[in-house]
Amino acid sequence: MRGGKPAVSRDLRVRWPVIGAEEREAALQVLDSGVLCGSRAPQVRALEDEFARFVGAKFCLATNSGTAALHMAVTAAGIEPGDEVITSAFTYPSTALAILQHNAVPTFADIDPVTFNIEPGGIEERITSRTRAIMPVHIHGLPCDMDAINAIARQRDLVVIEDAAQAHGATYRSRMAGALGDMAGFSLNATKNLPCGEGGLFVTSNERLLGRAASLRILGQSRDEVPLDPDHPLDSQGDSEFSGMGFMYLTQEIPAALARIQLRRLAQSNANAAANALLLTSRLSALPGVLPPHCPADRTHVYHKYRVRLDPRAMGLSVDPRLARDRVMAALRAEGVEVSLWLDRPVPEMKIFQARTGYGGGCPWTCHGSDVRYGVGEFPRTTALLADSFVVGSQSYPLFPQPRALMEQYADGFEKVIPRMTELLGSGAS
Ligand SMILES: Cc1ncc(COP(=O)(O)O)c(C=O)c1O
């Protein structure tokens, strides 16, 4: 900021997603095959088999987005219009939109301030006679406390849908995210640890739920089990009955082929993210008032996002946390450290979840008689997190592909900036 030499040489950064010769080759092979799409097309089916095996679930359906996979799960759960689904106040809006898309009502619970995941006690407080499901979100790649959540669900006969959009390969008590509830939705968006462009994966081990989700995926048609005839890849001999409301959520062969290549690299890429996080955490935790993310001993974190909290009081400063955070980010950026924000308010405070007259004029909040509504400040732990924290890395330069040398330089940047907080805050500090 003063014109000196930045701590970070930006040419060390690796931009995400990493696309190499294998991806190019796979895309060309799809083009050469002449089969571009289809629920029984070879790349789509192979991806589904490989991902189900990877997660340790029986079934997988590839979709064209993570939101579609979550919407399929909400529908498959047998939720009726106006029923309530409890989810986290700290998530991407898609989680709650997938609930609204089925004319159900999202109700939100606050987070645990250490893991940033939905807090099981908060779930219990939100349960009403209309609650049908819980949708925990493994935020930033750290699994939720699923034994506690599943115990609540069992007691009340609720369905558990994991939003695993950010958590490919993360584990809880040695089991993979995606195999910890009744169903799960993953995203394959280009920003994710497992990217293909746009895409998603629905996962379950329950055949009944699979059938319902499959029907929603293709316009309400039942799942086509007749094997593909390679000579007629666009023709089907399957059931032509349309028995339910459906959407067109199929993915295509090129994205599926790309996801298969990326899946082979996922373990190594997640391991690199964990090693980078370990390095950052060991150096940043030595700085007063800097709180690196915590991973409980019974889980593995895949660091889709590495979020750092700041505690100005622990730095001996009496200052608005948001101001301290903003000044630190500006100084880190000047040092070349890649830092970013992700969302600026709890999801229930966003307009769509506040409005009673939105949603095409027929908002389910009113038409189903729901009285669920949220005031600003009702989620103090999420609000505090979003004021005093930021992400190290960005969606274009996340932690997973970066070399260790870059992480050392990021830590150098923090060590240069944090001791100068008083100077950075100027008249804002007391
Ligand atoms: C927590 C969470 N849930 C759901 C989604 C939706 O995934 P997609 O963008 O593939 O629809 C995302 C993606 O950004 C996400 O981060």
Side-chain angles (χ1 to χ4, degrees), residues 65-67 70 91-92 94-95 137 163 165-166 187 189 192 199 342:
S65 76
T67 312
L70 291 171
T91 182
Y92 198 60
S94 299
T95 315
V137 183
D163 180 339
Q166 302 187 355
S187 169
N189 171 267
K192 299 299 189 295
W342 185 74

Side-chain angles (χ1 to χ4, degrees), residues 175-374:
R175 283 171 297 140
M176 283 275 183
L180 303 168
D182 297 297
M183 292 173 274
F186 290 82
S187 169
L188 298 177
N189 171 267
T191 62
K192 299 299 189 295
N193 295 48
L194 180 61
C196 80
E198 294 290 2
L201 297 161
F202 165 93
V203 167
T204 189
S205 288
N206 180 318
E207 199 156 1
R208 187 175 48 91
L209 298 175
L210 172 82
R212 290 187 191 164
S215 162
L216 186 85
R217 183 176 66 155
I218 312 180
L219 303 169
Q221 257 191 307
S222 39
R223 187 165 157 80
D224 191 348
E225 290 303 345
V226 181
L228 186 81
D229 171 0
D231 194 41
H232 293 81
L234 297 178
D235 296 291
S236 166
Q237 305 305 317
D239 185 358
S240 57
E241 177 64 290
F242 288 68
S243 50
M245 173 71 173
F247 290 74
M248 180 37 86
Y249 283 163
L250 269 184
T251 189
Q252 306 185 54
E253 283 291 86
I254 291 181
L258 298 182
R260 291 182 66 204
I261 307 282
Q262 294 281 336
L263 182 57
R264 286 189 224 143
R265 299 211 197 104
L266 178 65
Q268 189 249 322
S269 168
N270 281 347
N272 195 52
N276 283 342
L278 189 67
L279 187 157
L280 283 178
T281 296
S282 72
R283 285 187 59 187
L284 303 193
S285 54
L287 298 169
V290 178
L291 306 171
H294 174 70
C295 178
D298 59 357
R299 298 165 221 190
T300 58
H301 198 318
V302 295
Y303 296 99
H304 174 66
K305 298 201 186 315
Y306 181 95
R307 181 175 290 274
V308 171
R309 299 192 81 159
L310 296 178
D311 179 2
R313 272 178 310 181
M315 299 172 181
L317 295 165
S318 171
V319 64
D320 172 22
R322 196 179 285 268
L323 177 72
R325 191 269 314 273
D326 291 348
R327 296 280 166 91
V328 166
M329 284 181 75
L332 287 171
R333 279 194 179 124
E335 291 298 341
V337 181
E338 187 83 14
V339 289
S340 57
L341 295 176
W342 185 74
L343 305 183
D344 63 351
R345 73 198 74 182
V347 166
E349 289 181 16
M350 293 183 181
K351 263 191 194 150
I352 172 70
F353 303 109
Q354 289 280 312
R356 284 178 157 257
T357 52
Y359 199 55
C363 184
W365 307 88
T366 43
C367 64
H368 301 303
S370 168
D371 221 15
V372 180
R373 237 181 146 198
Y374 300 100

Side-chain angles (χ1 to χ4, degrees), residues 95-119:
T95 315
L97 288 173
I99 299 166
L100 269 191
Q101 280 160 3
H102 191 59
N103 279 337
V105 178
T107 65
F108 298 92
D110 210 349
I111 55 165
D112 173 315
V114 175
T115 63
F116 317 152
N117 276 328
I118 192 167
E119 208 259 313

